[in-house]
Amino acid sequence: MKSGGLAGVIENAGVLVDRSRGYWQDFQNWVQLDSSTLSPGRQLAVKYFIVAVILFCAQILFGLLAALQFIFPGFLYEFLDFSVNRMVHINAMVVWMLFGFFGCIYWLLEDESGTEIVGLKYGIWAFWILTGAVALVVLVYLFVQIGPGKDSSLWFINEGREYIEAPRWADIGIVAVVLTFFYNVVATFSKGKWSGIAGVLTLDLVALAGLYVAGMFYMTNITHEQYWWWWVIHLWVEATWEVLVGVIMAWSLMKLLGVRRKIVETWLYIEVALMFGSGILGLGHHYFWIGTPEYWLTIGGFFSALEPIPLVAMVVHAVYDAGAHSFKTGNHPALAWIIAQAFGNFFGAGVWGFMHTLPQINLYTHGTQWSASHGHLAFFGAYATINIAFFYLAIQHWRGDVWMAGGIKNAWRWKWALGLLNIGVLGMTIALLIAGYEQSFVERAVEGSTWGGYFAAQSHPAFQSAMTWRLFFGLITASGLGLLVWDLLTIGKGEERKAEMPQQV
């Protein structure tokens, strides 16, 4: 390359960087957020929140592409295949929720412990390592869509395990990041003060890091292989995540409504007890068809519906307590999303899950769109909603604890975002349930679970019609997400009234 050409490239790059800085400055002026008001720990939490929202957008984008390919199978064929879109859609969902949870805990950690975060620089490194790893893994998924399954591909491309496809190096990185997170949390509470929330959070993080390791074993016996894989998918997600949500919910209710600590901690303890007493046994509903003994049919079917009850009870009790003591909140969006979480969790994870986990029903529904119907409502209701609630809590403090309740400017945005997101997800849930009914009938009951039955069900007009409705409600969900992002960036901007922060009694 000629020197003049190189100089031109450098000059153009410099112009591009300056222009990008200008755009970033314009964006900062538009949102009018001043991070200097945040502690270093909360600045780290904000980083996690930003990446979480970006991944949330990616989840919806790739979900829409996959939904389109159900209706038009040739759409983007051999350029961006359905298997890749589905994989990125699901993994983006798992990872954005993890980013959100980490951000929530870093946000509440200093307040709950009464001291600065210990090991903050390790936390910052872990954030950049995790973010870089996620970006690299997604790029590999997009650019290496097909190829032979070898040891090298297991380590560097894809482990081939549904829902946890990350290559082995990324698996190890995730465990390392969670262990760093665990150290920061425990060291901070050890330096400051312990509470019931701190104790439950610490025990839960041990399981969060440890259970993921179960998914890193490889065995030649596919029954054993699937057994450990399910431990990660369900014991990790349905147990450790539920407790993590309980911790975040408990702290949020105290800050939002001034609910008494002993109420939220009592329900938190009950949730942990119920998790050990029935939740782990309830996870047996995932063992039905992988070669485990038949007693799991009874045990798993009976206990599987009890998991979300304590969280619903915590919210109902907290709202009752707030009413009895005439508490008021200065953050209506956060409270609305917390109520959405309580009932979304109960119906999505509890009712919708129980509906098709009884062995007599699951024989026909397992692996059909019934599972997708349950998954959409459960993940959104149990995990997405609590993260969104916390985003509103954080943005309120970030803007200087401004008023975000009745009479706030442009309140229609958060209300419409809440409505569109919930209607969109509920619509997709019902559409997928109808598709699942059709699959269960044609593929399982009529055709006897043959490959011919599978393809007959996929091309059936009822299935295609349901998938069209699924795409329609997916677009509604996407519009709700766009409105949510807009609202998060602008809510409280220019508001001069201060929120009266509730006091605990």
Side-chain angles (χ1 to χ4, degrees):
M1 180 179 291
K2 296 179 180 179
S3 58
L6 179 61
V9 170
I10 295 174
E11 184 179 353
N12 290 334
V15 171
L16 189 63
V17 170
D18 290 340
R19 190 172 297 172
S20 300
R21 284 177 179 163
Y23 289 142
W24 177 244
Q25 188 60 49
D26 290 344
F27 176 76
Q28 287 182 310
N29 293 336
W30 178 61
V31 297
Q32 294 179 354
L33 284 168
D34 182 8
S35 295
S36 64
T37 60
L38 301 179
S39 68
R42 289 191 164 176
Q43 290 183 25
L44 174 58
V46 167
K47 290 184 173 66
Y48 276 100
F49 292 150
I50 291 172
V51 176
V53 173
I54 293 171
L55 289 170
F56 190 9
C57 295
Q59 179 206 348
I60 300 300
L61 172 64
F62 283 91
L64 287 174
L65 292 176
L68 270 170
Q69 289 171 325
F70 267 111
I71 304 167
F72 309 105
F75 179 62
L76 296 179
Y77 179 62
E78 292 188 335
F79 177 74
L80 192 54
D81 287 347
F82 171 81
S83 60
V84 177
N85 286 324
R86 181 178 180 273
M87 178 173 63
V88 177
H89 170 62
I90 292 173
N91 283 268
M93 174 195 69
V94 172
V95 177
W96 91 253
M97 290 176 184
L98 270 180
F99 267 84
F101 292 152
F102 285 2
C104 293
I105 299 301
Y106 273 126
W107 184 274
L108 67 83
L109 187 54
E110 290 174 322
D111 181 86
E112 185 67 12
S113 65
T115 186
E116 295 179 349
I117 292 178
V118 175
L120 181 63
K121 67 178 180 181
Y122 303 130
I124 295 173
W125 291 347
F127 164 78
W128 287 112
I129 290 171
L130 183 60
T131 304
V134 168
L136 185 57
V137 168
V138 171
L139 288 174
V140 170
Y141 286 165
L142 296 178
F143 287 103
V144 187
Q145 299 187 28
I146 57 173
K150 301 182 296 187
D151 285 345
S152 59
S153 59
L154 183 152
W155 274 93
F156 299 110
I157 310 296
N158 186 327
E159 278 197 313
R161 288 173 156 179
E162 197 175 19
Y163 307 131
I164 47 173
E165 284 94 345
R168 178 59 55 88
W169 71 266
D171 267 350
I172 296 171
I174 289 170
V175 175
V177 166
V178 174
L179 288 174
T180 304
F181 181 62
F182 173 76
Y183 166 76
N184 287 0
V185 170
V186 174
T188 303
F189 280 124
S190 299
K191 179 185 175 185
K193 58 185 180 185
W194 282 86
S195 63
I197 289 177
V200 172
L201 176 61
T202 300
L203 288 174
D204 188 57
L205 291 182
V206 173
L208 187 73
L211 281 175
Y212 192 79
V213 177
M216 297 169 68
F217 290 109
Y218 263 91
M219 299 183 177
T220 54
N221 185 311
I222 194 169
T223 297
H224 294 166
E225 168 76 14
Q226 289 284 292
Y227 190 90
W228 293 111
W229 173 70
W230 277 114
W231 270 55
V232 181
I233 297 300
H234 292 277
L235 198 52
W236 194 60
V237 172
E238 293 184 25
T240 61
W241 283 27
E242 284 279 1
V243 175
L244 203 54
V245 164
V247 168
I248 296 167
M249 175 77 80
W251 188 86
S252 301
L253 287 171
M254 289 193 297
K255 296 302 169 184
L256 265 177
L257 293 171
V259 177
R260 288 171 292 172
R261 176 178 287 273
K262 69 177 184 181
I263 289 179
V264 294
E265 288 190 342
T266 297
W267 284 111
L268 198 54
Y269 296 147
I270 291 174
E271 183 188 8
V272 173
L274 197 57
M275 190 63 65
F276 283 106
S278 66
I280 294 174
L281 293 174
L283 296 174
H285 67 258
H286 300 296
Y287 298 160
F288 291 168
W289 318 118
I290 61 173
T292 48
E294 287 189 6
Y295 53 74
W296 282 110
L297 296 175
T298 304
I299 295 173
F302 182 76
F303 288 106
S304 61
L306 299 177
E307 297 167 31
I309 289 177
L311 280 181
V312 179
M314 181 192 293
V315 174
V316 171
H317 196 161
V319 172
Y320 170 80
D321 186 63
H325 291 88
S326 301
F327 295 149
K328 294 180 180 177
T329 180
N331 192 329
H332 282 179
L335 182 61
W337 277 103
I338 279 185
I339 293 173
Q341 194 279 341
F343 293 97
N345 190 17
F346 179 72
F347 285 105
V351 175
W352 231 254
F354 182 73
M355 189 171 65
H356 85 124
T357 52
L358 290 175
Q360 295 84 354
I361 298 173
N362 198 254
L363 176 65
Y364 296 97
T365 62
H366 193 85
T368 67
Q369 295 297 332
W370 275 68
S371 303
S373 171
H374 163 51
H376 276 70
L377 192 57
F379 271 96
F380 179 79
Y383 305 127
T385 46
I386 188 67
N387 273 314
I388 296 171
F390 211 98
F391 294 163
Y392 276 106
L393 266 175
I395 202 74
Q396 183 182 34
H397 180 78
W398 200 354
R399 288 204 181 278
D401 291 327
V402 296
W403 180 255
M404 283 175 53
I408 188 174
K409 188 179 179 183
N410 294 320
W412 67 272
R413 290 179 191 159
W414 75 261
K415 293 177 181 176
W416 273 87
L418 176 78
L420 289 172
L421 277 164
N422 280 281
I423 290 171
V425 173
L426 191 59
M428 285 192 290
T429 300
I430 295 172
L432 289 167
L433 182 66
I434 294 170
Y437 265 114
E438 186 277 337
Q439 272 187 293
S440 301
F441 181 71
V442 175
E443 178 187 324
R444 303 286 168 83
V446 176
E447 300 283 346
S449 300
T450 61
W451 273 113
Y454 172 79
F455 289 112
Q458 295 284 318
S459 57
H460 195 281
F463 183 89
Q464 288 295 312
S465 177
M467 284 304 181
T468 303
W469 280 107
R470 178 260 181 96
L471 175 61
F472 172 75
F473 283 107
L475 291 170
I476 289 179
T477 306
S479 64
L481 175 59
L483 199 54
L484 174 72
V485 174
W486 182 20
D487 191 54
L488 286 170
L489 290 172
T490 56
I491 191 170
K493 190 168 68 170
E495 177 63 60
E496 295 182 353
R497 292 172 293 173
K498 292 289 183 181
E500 185 177 343
M501 306 310 288
Q503 300 296 320
Q504 294 174 42
V505 297

